Amino acid sequence: MRPDDPFDDPGTARAVIAADGTLVRWNEGARLLLGHSAEEVVGRAAADLLATGAEPPPPPSGTLWSGTLALRHQDGGTVTVWVLAHRVRREDGGTGDWLVVTPLGSGETDPAEDPLLRAAMFQSPCATAVFDRDLRLRGVNDAMAALLGLPARQLRGLRPTELGSQPRHFELERHMSQVLRSGRGHDMQIRVRAAGEGGGQTWLARIAPLTDDGGRVAGVCVTAHDFTEQYSARARLQLVNEASIRIGTALDVTRTAQELTEVCVPALADFVSVDLLEQSDLGADATGPPTLPVTLRRVAHRSRNPGGFESIADTDEVIVYPAAAPQADSLLAGHSVVASVPSGDLNPWLAADETRARQVRELGVHSILSVPLQARGTTLGVAVFTRFRHPESFTHDDVLLAEEVTARAAVCIDNARRYSRERETTRTLRRSLLPRGLPRTAAVDSASRYLPAARSGVGGDWFDVIPLSGMRVAIVVGDVAGRGIQASATMSRLRTAVRTLADIDLAPDELLTHVDDLVLHLAHEAAGDGDDGRGEAADSGHGEVGATCLYAVYDPVSRRCTLARAGHPPPVLVPPDGPARVLDLPSGPPLGLGGLPFESVELELSEGSVLAFYTDGLTEGPAGDTETGRLTLTDALSNAASGSLDEACDRVLDTLLGPGSRTEDAALLLTRTRGLPSSQVATWDIPADPALVAPIRKQVLDQLGIWSLTEASFTAELVVSELVTNAIRYGAPPIRLRLICDAATLICEVSDTSHTAPHLRRAKTWDEGGRGLLLVAQLTQRWGSRHTSEGKTIWAELGLLEQEEL
């Protein structure tokens, strides 16, 4: 047994009981209590010490038991004692024997008369005050007197509101009154300045009722516990949580920097500024450490003082920091730097900048913390925290807190920087892919608008107006699912494909079939990126390419419009003499499903009719309600038939999108149809006899005279002669010649029922023929052929303005 083993201390009766109930140890205190020596009881059952007829204690359910037992004294008497038993843990971690104890001589002294307890009351480090039912102070201990900074004897009889006139004194008295009435304790937190200390402290005041012998509340006891560390830790945790919520709400560099300053002022500093390296501000990756002097651009700052006059630089202003500045020091070192005025850390910097030095003196700046903004291995800039109203300098915990908040802000700034760079790249790509301006045609007047989504970036919405032969025009609008560069690239391929297919004059339903095949091909290409090694695409869904499209062809001669759509929203028609309405067109499957047919619908349109083509981002509300959006669109287009198309576009966007944030990109294309008067069209049926070509040429010259186009007579006569002769020689009757004229173009068309397409060929030197189409190609602006349901049409366009110059 160790000499310092307290087991044999006679002030307490101790016994050790093994798990089987056998007594294994017995000290002198136990002998004094029951009269049995250790030799008499060790090795015997502990239950033998129970008095005759006494109830044995219940088996303990845990590791601790207490209760009153009737025990047998050596002289045969009964000793009733309160005992405490707890199981002792062995060194190997297992449960061991039970240690049973009971104090000896505990009732000799009345606690109220115990001088040690009275000394503890006054000398306890826990500040304590006692008030009676009238909330008059009965006494305070030494710790409370020191906390109040007042002499304890002179305080007796004062109420809390007489000890001070701050709001906390009135709040304390109000809570004490509630405790007197309810008899239930209450805790309140108080932020005060402790006497003799410069910093603020937080105290937890615990108000408890005091009762008399009859159980009635006779007063209250107030104890004060220094809660400063817990309060500071909670405040730091709250600031970190607030930073995680408030910083990074927008993918914008400037806004994110502003959010960092808003979170940290005044909770962490009195003035916070965020300066970024020029490379980061422009959206490029910073390479290597900065060089001295460091050039930064002020992005955001915030002060707790109204007006924020603490900053000597405006936002977006370039600032050059020398090597002595904390900003440059922290950027070069790559870690936080704390500099204080009393220590002289700022003297070299302030000596070189009198304006800044004067401001430091006037404001009373005493501490500066500079934290570099770093994310993903890139240095973005620096955040500077300045204190002048906070009495404390920056502590180690403050530095850790500033670094944690700044690290989050740096990641958000880097995200915004990368997003801005990708968004600008995608926008540049879109600007290069979408038409810079819609072509002017004799068939339609047009106006358009495209608005990218506010946050998710540009998408795959697109539109186009494509001039076709015979003064016709193709109008197309489409939407590729997804966002970013991938969607824009897919949109570009579809737009190019549609323009190519439109040039060969495919019918709308046939054109959509070819585009559907292209989308399937693109999907297979995309799925190839996830090849599983066996030549089969992994079933991950990454190969899916979704798109919709609406394609229409309008002929100003016949004033007929043929439309087909592939899962795209139907257009809105605004006739010149009626209300706007959504056209009822067969929907057709979206592009990329494959194997499903598309159906065309032909409409006759009055001259001056307006067709509105759009994507679902224009009409789809927050809850996906497209029907309401279409009704709103038709209302907004009610006056489009007579007014300016540009004004109608603006009115539609203001009505449907408004000033709020857009979650989808939106495209709108408005076209107003024109009609070509019958006086500008001439048609002849051509006999299949080469000898009758000369009279046809004569009739063409006469018609050109009526149109006052004698300057173009020679070229037009030659083109008509070659086209008609080719149709008679290689085509099949019936043969028809049509001339179409407007202010700038003369179109010659020859139709026959043969489906054989003409082609240019190189004639040999001594060949008597084979040069007709080559001659036509040289004399006209453009020429071509298109297939029709009856056969084919060969056409050529002559520029009348060029003929006038010749």
Side-chain angles (χ1 to χ4, degrees):
M1 182 179 297
R2 300 192 312 271
D4 59 348
D5 188 354
F7 185 81
D8 284 330
D9 181 5
T12 304
R14 294 184 177 90
V16 176
I17 303 175
D20 60 357
T22 303
L23 281 165
V24 295
R25 295 186 70 182
W26 186 265
N27 80 335
E28 179 63 16
R31 188 193 67 78
L32 295 175
L33 177 67
L34 297 180
H36 304 284
S37 65
E39 292 78 7
E40 294 174 335
V41 295
V42 171
R44 298 176 56 186
D48 294 345
L49 295 177
L50 292 175
T52 304
E55 289 288 335
S61 58
T63 60
L64 185 69
W65 181 88
S66 66
T68 302
L69 296 178
L71 302 178
R72 177 174 56 82
H73 195 273
Q74 186 186 34
D75 61 8
T78 299
V79 180
T80 302
V81 295
W82 177 87
V83 299
L84 172 65
H86 48 86
R87 190 182 289 273
V88 180
R89 183 175 295 273
R90 299 200 306 263
E91 293 183 358
D92 60 2
T95 55
D97 301 334
W98 286 90
L99 175 63
V100 182
V101 298
T102 185
L104 299 179
S106 59
E108 295 178 358
T109 304
D110 185 356
E113 302 297 331
D114 192 333
L116 192 60
L117 290 179
R118 290 201 304 271
M121 165 63 188
F122 290 99
Q123 299 175 22
S124 169
C126 179
T128 305
V130 177
F131 295 82
D132 60 20
R133 286 196 57 84
D134 297 327
L135 297 183
R136 297 290 179 182
L137 183 63
R138 298 291 292 270
V140 297
N141 68 353
D142 297 341
M144 180 63 78
L147 177 62
L148 297 175
L150 298 171
R153 292 183 177 276
Q154 278 69 30
L155 296 178
R156 288 176 57 88
L158 296 179
R159 295 172 64 94
T161 53
E162 295 168 342
L163 294 172
S165 300
Q166 299 296 324
R168 63 176 179 269
H169 296 97
F170 292 92
E171 184 180 5
L172 176 63
E173 186 167 302
R174 179 170 57 84
H175 288 305
M176 291 170 62
S177 298
Q178 292 176 351
V179 171
L180 282 174
R181 291 192 300 270
S182 65
R184 293 190 298 270
H186 180 80
D187 294 346
M188 68 172 288
Q189 190 170 286
I190 302 175
R191 182 73 173 168
V192 299
R193 287 187 180 277
E197 299 182 15
Q201 287 184 285
T202 302
W203 296 87
L204 177 66
R206 313 204 73 168
I207 310 170
L210 298 175
T211 59
D212 58 16
D213 295 338
R216 296 182 297 274
V217 178
V220 293
C221 174
V222 179
T223 57
H225 306 269
D226 191 347
F227 205 64
T228 304
E229 289 188 9
Q230 295 89 333
Y231 175 83
S232 299
R234 184 182 301 173
R236 289 192 293 268
L237 182 61
Q238 183 177 355
L239 185 62
V240 171
N241 181 64
E242 188 175 358
S244 66
I245 297 173
R246 294 177 56 187
I247 297 178
T249 60
L251 287 170
D252 180 83
V253 172
T254 301
R255 180 58 194 150
T256 303
Q258 291 172 345
E259 291 168 344
L260 171 60
T261 63
E262 291 169 358
V263 167
C264 295
V265 175
L268 185 58
D270 302 308
F271 180 79
V272 176
S273 63
V274 178
D275 301 333
L276 298 183
L277 292 166
E278 287 281 34
Q279 301 96 318
S280 301
D281 194 34
L282 295 175
D285 287 331
T287 56
T291 58
L292 293 173
V294 180
T295 301
L296 302 173
R297 182 179 296 276
R298 176 62 52 84
V299 180
H301 58 235
R302 186 177 182 84
S303 170
R304 71 184 301 168
N305 291 332
F309 58 87
E310 293 82 1
S311 176
I312 63 173
D314 295 328
T315 55
D316 205 38
E317 182 178 338
V318 175
I319 311 171
V320 179
Y321 291 103
Q327 293 87 340
D329 192 8
S330 64
L331 285 175
L332 292 177
H335 57 72
S336 301
V337 171
V338 178
S340 65
V341 172
S343 66
D345 298 334
L346 297 174
N347 289 346
W349 180 37
L350 299 180
D353 192 338
E354 179 57 32
T355 302
R356 195 179 299 272
R358 183 174 59 254
Q359 193 167 35
V360 166
R361 290 193 299 268
E362 292 175 353
L363 291 173
V365 173
H366 59 81
S367 186
I368 292 179
L369 168 61
S370 181
V371 183
L373 288 160
Q374 297 172 327
R376 302 181 179 94
T378 300
T379 300
L380 307 174
V382 63
V384 179
F385 304 81
T386 304
R387 284 183 173 178
F388 47 86
R389 289 177 57 181
H390 274 73
E392 306 94 344
S393 298
F394 288 105
T395 64
H396 178 67
D397 290 337
D398 292 331
V399 174
L400 294 178
L401 177 60
E403 288 177 343
E404 185 168 357
V405 175
T406 303
R408 173 173 179 79
V411 172
C412 294
I413 289 175
D414 189 51
N415 289 341
R417 180 178 64 93
R418 292 169 180 265
Y419 170 78
S420 299
R421 184 172 56 193
E422 180 177 345
R423 181 182 175 90
E424 185 58 32
T425 301
T426 308
R427 283 185 167 180
T428 302
L429 176 63
R430 274 203 70 91
R431 285 194 294 267
S432 65
L433 299 177
L434 285 176
R436 296 183 180 273
L438 298 176
R440 301 182 63 181
T441 68
V444 295
D445 295 321
S446 55
S448 65
R449 296 291 186 273
Y450 171 76
L451 292 177
R455 290 194 59 175
S456 56
V458 294
D461 291 11
W462 58 284
F463 54 86
D464 215 342
V465 176
I466 309 169
L468 302 178
S469 63
M471 291 193 178
R472 296 169 305 127
V473 65
I475 307 161
V476 59
V477 62
D479 187 0
V480 176
R483 295 285 177 273
I485 294 179
Q486 184 61 44
S488 294
T490 303
M491 175 274 292
S492 173
R493 300 180 71 172
L494 295 185
R495 177 172 178 262
T496 302
V498 169
R499 291 190 71 92
T500 302
L501 296 171
D503 283 341
I504 61 177
D505 268 315
L506 293 180
D509 54 342
E510 188 177 353
L511 181 141
L512 290 181
T513 300
H514 284 280
V515 178
D516 184 47
D517 292 339
L518 172 62
V519 174
L520 282 173
H521 178 69
L522 295 178
H524 289 311
E525 281 187 355
D529 296 337
D531 197 285
D532 63 2
R534 298 172 297 176
E536 298 179 1
D539 186 17
S540 61
H542 295 303
E544 298 179 1
V545 178
T548 63
C549 185
L550 171 60
Y551 185 80
V553 175
Y554 173 68
D555 187 348
V557 177
S558 64
R559 296 184 177 87
R560 301 192 71 81
C561 183
T562 306
L563 308 95
R565 63 186 181 119
H568 200 81
V572 175
L573 172 63
V574 187
D577 54 355
R581 60 185 176 88
V582 178
L583 290 179
D584 185 14
L585 301 180
S587 174
L591 298 174
L593 296 183
L596 298 176
F598 300 96
E599 185 177 350
S600 294
V601 172
E602 189 174 70
L603 305 172
E604 184 171 353
L605 302 178
S606 303
E607 183 175 3
S609 298
V610 172
L611 282 172
F613 302 85
Y614 55 94
T615 56
D616 56 7
L618 185 68
T619 57
E620 196 172 69
D625 184 9
T626 57
E627 290 302 322
T628 301
R630 290 175 188 172
L631 292 176
T632 306
L633 175 61
T634 57
D635 292 339
L637 290 170
S638 57
N639 299 323
S642 57
S644 165
L645 291 181
D646 282 309
E647 292 178 359
C649 284
D650 294 336
R651 183 168 60 250
V652 168
L653 296 184
D654 291 342
T655 302
L656 274 81
L657 301 182
S661 177
R662 299 178 303 278
T663 58
E664 296 286 341
D665 50 344
L668 173 65
L669 174 62
L670 298 184
T671 60
R672 179 181 288 122
T673 62
R674 295 180 180 178
L676 203 63
S678 58
S679 59
Q680 294 180 238
V681 181
T683 306
W684 294 270
D685 292 325
I686 307 300
D689 185 356
L692 298 179
V693 174
I696 296 298
R697 290 200 299 266
K698 177 64 171 61
Q699 295 177 39
V700 168
L701 292 176
D702 292 341
Q703 184 61 51
L704 294 178
I706 296 174
W707 288 338
S708 302
L709 298 177
T710 54
E711 296 85 354
S713 297
F714 176 77
T715 304
E717 181 184 8
L718 186 57
V719 170
V720 168
S721 178
E722 291 297 335
L723 294 182
V724 169
T725 301
N726 277 350
I728 293 174
R729 181 175 299 177
Y730 303 110
I735 301 171
R736 177 170 295 177
L737 168 65
R738 185 170 73 161
L739 296 183
I740 306 173
C741 169
D742 74 347
T745 308
L746 176 65
I747 300 175
C748 303
E749 295 183 344
V750 177
S751 304
D752 66 81
T753 56
S754 171
H755 292 277
T756 303
H759 62 277
L760 289 174
R761 69 183 182 88
R762 184 180 297 276
K764 297 180 181 179
T765 305
W766 306 108
D767 287 349
E768 296 182 358
R771 299 178 179 84
L773 289 181
L774 179 61
L775 186 61
V776 170
Q778 295 297 317
L779 293 176
T780 60
Q781 285 183 331
R782 60 179 188 144
W783 75 281
S785 65
R786 65 176 181 269
H787 289 278
T788 65
S789 58
E790 295 84 10
K792 68 175 181 300
T793 297
I794 312 298
W795 56 269
E797 291 185 4
L798 286 75
L800 297 180
L801 298 179
E802 296 178 0
Q803 296 296 325
E804 291 179 0
E805 293 176 0
L806 293 175

